[in-house]
Amino acid sequence: QYRVFARVSPEHKVKIVKEGKEGQGVGFREDGTMIVVENGGNDIGNLVDVTITTSIQTNTGLIIFGRIM
């Protein structure tokens, strides 16, 4: 039995809305899922193409990690 938390394709367009830790950028999907983008801190306010690298399920929700293509 499987539980689907979110549908994720390997590529996403993400608007970076704030800086994360260590130069990361942070954006959100329409459903509120956080996407943490490696080296995205300089792209705040920009829409970037992101390749998804991994995701984790936490007590507060799904977090998706990726890098700019």
Side-chain angles (χ1 to χ4, degrees):
Q1 181 179 10
Y2 296 96
R3 290 179 21 179
V4 176
F5 295 105
R7 295 179 191 265
V8 179
S9 66
E11 292 101 23
H12 270 289
K13 287 199 178 288
V14 177
K15 182 174 183 179
I16 306 296
V17 296
K18 65 181 183 176
E19 188 172 1
K21 296 178 182 177
E22 301 173 10
Q24 298 167 328
V26 178
F28 296 91
R29 290 173 25 132
E30 291 177 5
D31 65 1
T33 301
M34 181 187 295
I35 301 178
V36 178
V37 181
E38 182 180 329
N39 298 321
N42 292 329
D43 288 299
I44 295 171
N46 295 331
L47 188 65
V48 296
D49 291 315
V50 173
T51 298
I52 303 304
T53 55
T54 190
S55 64
I56 60 169
Q57 181 66 42
T58 68
N59 291 336
T60 57
L62 184 68
I63 302 174
I64 299 172
F65 296 87
R67 68 169 93 62
I68 296 174
M69 296 173 57

